[in-house]
Amino acid sequence: MGLVPLTAVAGGLLALLIGLAFTMLLWSILGLGESAAADRRTETALAQARTVEGLVVDLETGQRGFVITGEKQFLEPWQTARTTFSGQAQELVRLSTTPGQRTLAQQIRQAGESLIHDYSIPLVAAAGRGDARARGVQSTLEGKRRVDALRKQFDRYDSTQETLIAARESAANSDAREAVVAASIGLTGSMLLIATFAGYVIRAVVWPVRKAAGVASRLADGDLSVRMPETGRGEIGQLGTAFNTMACSLAESREQTRRTHLRLELLYEVGIVIGTTLDAKQTAQELVRMLVPRFADFVTVDLALPALLIDEPLADHGAWARRVALGGIRDDPPLDPVGSQITLATASATFVPDLRTSSVWQAQHGQEARTLLDYGMHSLITAPLYSRRTLVGAVGLWRAENPSPFAEDELSDAEEIAAKAAVAIDNALSYAREHDTALTLQRSMLPRSFNPPDGIEIAHRYLPASDANEVGGDWYDVAAMPPDKAALAIGDVMGHGIPAAAVMGQMRSTLRALVRMDLPPDQLLHHLDQAIQDLDGPILATCLYGVCDAAANRCRLARAGHPPPALITPDGTAHLIDLPPGAPLGIGGISYTTTEIPIAPGTVLVLYTDGLVEAREHDLDERLEELTHLLAGIHPSLDELADTLINRLAPTPAQDDIALLIVRIGTAIP
């Protein structure tokens, strides 16, 4: 056979082998592309599953908050989740990539709609009617069972999707390796058949194909940073371009999926973490800690002055606010510090992706803008804090070291985060207002000063509970009675908040009227019990009442369910006075007993409410023993003794109101 036919045969066989090798490689590339597309669809389904799961969390959180507190603002996220769940769940069904996943997504949709219509809506309605069963153990367990079942279905869905991704990656890896083997065999055969083409084939075909095989293998192993040189001619150049295009596409898809996951994770964590305490400033600080540096380099939170109970008219434009939180990646940003007065210049979100090219923003802020730009600030989002259609403040988000400007989707995230934070902050502000109102009412009804008769020295303290739900009905009073006698009273209305404070005021006014009748303590408590029964609603209260006669050196005491008083003799011995306990006022039909005790000149009586001696972490007998230990001794100053008792016994923070009345009868200690 001549050279030309041999060359033709060799060339034809070479072409066939090379064609086969390229076919296998291209088939592998197409397989990788299909695998990448399938992975993107799977990741999209996973992201949608997390969105639907987030709606279940919002539904449960809003429902639980409303059932526990009765506050309708908790129904805002609940209502949003309830109305959007069905559409989002149907979208999850559509995005599911396998029949099994679609079936599981259908089950999730059906279970979620059952949770909403069969449990959540009836439960919220029952709670709105004041039905006590809505807060019962059975309702709570039923909700937990349903939500736990839904979470297990979400876990199964996520696990199945991740298994699909792993299977596709394994298949792509196997296909790539098979393509490498086929290409190597083809190229080796070509070199053996046509030795004269060896140099050309090695230089022009073998080496580029080997590079392509290596790139394909690394791509199959998940290394999306690998690239091929695009200097080859013809199909080799096209192959390099195809590989690089595919690698870029896969890298972009993975980065987009990662960013989506981080965004959803941040939004979820904000919903869970923000508002765990009913303190507006602490809530603002929690928000700063959550967003730096995950979302922004620097974050500020400003709250409107009226929302902070500062007398300043609120308007949509030009309203004044106070900066309550500031944080960032460095400690020296040229931003107004915490405590500064800020103008809320806008009632809508501000989005400036590039501060360096925004002439409008620079013109509005003048020299301040130049200082911020010199510092490195280059991108800004300002999101208003709205709750119940009221502007309560704004969140400022800045980027300096992070080179990426804020994007449109991040503006949407910022507005959603601000909406969640606004609800939490508004709840905290409402809580603070209620606490201040209850405390103001309580203090206004306590006596400002006493005018005891000669021979009687008085010291008194009132410490409100730190929780607005605990401020309420602790009180004390001292009234002069002729001749040279003093009526002592201390009590505790069972209940908290404004209603308890109001009842306390009525109870103290009634006792003042009865004191003028100079009744024995047991009869006075009997009349006070009848007066309380005439008030609206079932009301219970404790009371300790006594009449001390300094001239006769005696004291007559009676108590209605109140902690026993303590006595300090002139020589410094302290003990609790053993009085018949009696039943709390408001029960009715109970008789009380007056006990007369001798009082030597200089004797000290200590009257207190249960908040001083009761603590969740300690036994009551141990606390009473500690009280008598602190009282033992000579106390020249009753005010110093009162401060010692409060400082040593009162829990921090105060778990309940504390009222304390200390009386020295007879000659005071010099």
Side-chain angles (χ1 to χ4, degrees):
M1 183 178 294
L3 180 59
V4 174
L6 181 59
T7 303
V9 171
L13 184 56
L14 178 62
L16 178 62
L17 292 174
I18 293 176
L20 178 61
F22 274 98
T23 299
M24 293 297 294
L25 286 174
L26 290 175
W27 175 80
S28 177
I29 292 171
L30 293 175
L32 288 173
E34 292 176 357
S35 176
D39 285 348
R40 287 196 296 272
R41 293 194 296 272
T42 303
E43 293 290 349
T44 301
L46 275 175
Q48 182 65 19
R50 294 189 181 99
T51 298
V52 176
E53 186 175 6
L55 292 176
V56 173
V57 172
D58 287 347
L59 180 80
E60 181 189 18
T61 303
Q63 159 198 299
R64 186 188 310 140
F66 177 73
V67 169
I68 292 174
T69 67
E71 296 292 338
K72 291 187 176 180
Q73 59 264 32
F74 286 103
L75 293 181
E76 294 178 5
W78 175 84
Q79 182 68 19
T80 301
R82 183 178 71 84
T83 55
T84 59
F85 176 86
S86 181
Q88 293 294 335
Q90 187 60 40
E91 179 66 9
L92 177 61
V93 174
R94 187 186 70 80
L95 292 174
S96 297
T97 57
T98 67
Q101 287 298 85
R102 284 193 289 274
T103 299
L104 185 54
Q106 286 282 11
Q107 293 173 356
I108 290 174
R109 182 179 66 81
Q110 293 170 359
E113 291 181 347
S114 175
L115 172 67
I116 293 171
H117 298 290
D118 299 339
Y119 174 78
S120 186
I121 293 177
L123 181 66
V124 170
R129 296 193 303 270
D131 191 343
R133 290 175 295 180
R135 298 181 177 85
V137 174
Q138 184 175 358
S139 295
T140 302
L141 291 178
E142 175 62 14
K144 183 178 183 302
R145 181 189 66 79
R146 287 174 175 265
V147 172
D148 287 347
L150 258 174
R151 285 173 175 160
K152 289 180 180 179
Q153 289 177 318
F154 279 115
D155 290 342
R156 286 175 52 201
Y157 188 95
D158 291 347
S159 176
T160 302
Q161 291 292 85
E162 290 170 356
T163 300
L164 286 174
I165 292 173
R168 290 192 182 104
E169 289 178 349
S170 177
N173 191 29
S174 178
D175 290 343
R177 290 191 177 94
E178 291 176 2
V180 171
V181 172
S184 299
I185 293 173
L187 292 174
T188 302
S190 299
M191 288 187 294
L192 292 174
L193 289 173
I194 310 176
T196 57
F197 293 162
Y200 176 79
V201 170
I202 292 173
R203 184 174 63 255
V205 178
V206 176
W207 289 350
V209 170
R210 284 181 177 174
K211 290 180 180 178
V215 169
S217 181
R218 291 174 62 181
L219 284 175
D221 288 337
D223 183 4
L224 302 183
S225 64
V226 65
R227 295 292 185 272
M228 280 188 65
E230 300 183 7
T231 57
R233 292 173 293 176
E235 290 81 358
I236 296 298
Q238 295 175 6
L239 180 62
T241 301
F243 267 115
N244 294 342
T245 301
M246 180 178 63
C248 290
S249 177
L250 290 173
E252 291 174 0
S253 177
R254 173 182 287 182
E255 177 61 20
Q256 182 177 5
T257 301
R258 187 189 68 84
R259 290 183 58 194
T260 300
H261 176 74
L262 292 177
R263 288 172 54 203
L264 292 174
E265 184 179 41
L266 177 61
L267 292 175
Y268 175 77
E269 291 182 10
V270 167
I272 295 298
V273 174
I274 298 301
T276 55
T277 63
L278 290 174
D279 183 284
K281 295 181 180 179
Q282 187 171 343
T283 298
Q285 292 166 358
E286 289 174 350
L287 180 62
V288 171
R289 286 193 294 269
M290 287 293 298
L291 298 182
V292 176
R294 296 168 65 181
F295 194 85
D297 293 335
F298 298 94
V299 177
T300 62
V301 181
D302 307 323
L303 296 184
L305 299 188
L308 292 171
L309 303 179
I310 299 174
D311 188 14
E312 175 74 19
L314 181 63
D316 284 345
H317 299 283
W320 288 104
R322 179 151 298 157
R323 180 146 295 165
V324 297
L326 166 64
I329 57 176
R330 297 198 299 269
D331 297 331
D332 60 343
L335 298 168
D336 292 326
V338 172
S340 302
Q341 189 162 290
I342 309 294
T343 301
L344 291 177
T346 178
S348 59
T350 299
F351 176 43
V352 188
D354 191 348
L355 299 174
R356 295 163 296 193
T357 61
S358 176
S359 57
V360 174
W361 177 81
Q362 294 182 30
Q364 289 176 343
H365 295 83
Q367 183 57 41
E368 180 187 7
R370 175 50 51 195
T371 302
L372 291 168
L373 291 174
D374 291 342
Y375 186 79
M377 301 292 193
H378 64 82
S379 194
L380 166 66
I381 292 178
T382 302
L385 297 172
Y386 272 103
S387 182
R388 291 177 290 185
R389 299 183 179 181
T390 299
L391 181 65
V392 298
V395 177
L397 308 165
W398 302 82
R399 280 185 179 168
E401 290 192 4
N402 185 341
S404 300
F406 287 114
E408 289 284 351
D409 57 350
E410 290 176 312
L411 171 62
S412 176
D413 290 346
E415 291 176 325
E416 183 173 349
I417 290 171
K420 292 178 181 291
V423 172
I425 290 173
D426 187 52
N427 289 340
L429 293 172
S430 298
Y431 171 88
R433 285 190 289 269
E434 181 179 349
H435 181 275
D436 290 346
T437 301
L439 183 57
T440 300
L441 179 60
Q442 171 79 339
R443 289 189 184 278
S444 68
M445 293 183 177
L446 290 174
R448 301 291 179 93
S449 61
F450 297 117
N451 186 24
D454 293 338
I456 293 181
E457 180 185 356
I458 301 292
H460 55 91
R461 296 290 185 273
Y462 171 72
L463 182 67
S466 59
D467 191 333
N469 294 325
E470 300 297 330
V471 173
D474 287 27
W475 61 280
Y476 52 79
D477 204 353
V478 177
M481 300 175 61
D484 297 330
K485 294 188 295 183
L488 313 176
I490 192 168
D492 182 2
V493 177
M494 296 183 184
H496 304 287
I498 296 175
V503 171
M504 177 272 287
Q506 294 174 296
M507 183 176 175
R508 180 171 167 262
S509 298
T510 302
L511 183 135
R512 276 271 179 169
L514 293 172
V515 165
R516 296 188 181 95
M517 299 173 65
D518 197 12
L519 297 172
D522 60 320
Q523 294 184 27
L524 183 141
L525 290 180
H526 174 73
H527 288 294
L528 191 58
D529 174 62
Q530 291 181 322
I532 288 180
Q533 293 180 61
D534 292 337
L535 299 177
D536 293 336
I539 299 171
L540 296 178
T542 67
C543 183
L544 174 63
Y545 177 74
V547 177
C548 292
D549 189 338
N553 293 326
R554 69 177 184 177
C555 201
R556 305 175 71 198
L557 302 167
R559 63 172 174 147
H562 200 82
L567 181 145
I568 309 173
T569 62
D571 64 1
T573 302
H575 67 274
L576 299 177
I577 302 175
D578 185 15
L579 299 178
L585 303 173
I587 294 179
I590 305 296
S591 60
Y592 301 96
T593 302
T594 296
T595 301
E596 181 175 314
I597 59 173
I599 299 294
T603 297
V604 175
L605 287 177
V606 180
L607 287 65
Y608 54 90
T609 56
D610 56 4
L612 183 68
V613 294
E614 289 185 358
R616 299 186 182 100
E617 305 82 6
H618 301 282
D619 181 75
L620 178 59
D621 290 338
E622 294 177 356
R623 297 280 288 177
L624 291 173
E625 183 178 350
E626 185 177 0
L627 170 65
T628 55
H629 176 74
L630 293 173
L631 294 177
I634 307 300
H635 303 283
S637 171
L638 296 187
D639 283 320
E640 290 182 1
L641 175 60
D643 291 337
T644 298
L645 295 179
I646 293 295
N647 293 334
R648 296 287 296 277
L649 294 176
T652 303
Q655 300 168 356
D656 193 3
D657 283 7
I658 296 175
L660 177 63
L661 181 63
I662 303 178
V663 182
R664 192 186 333 260
I665 303 167
T667 304
I669 297 177

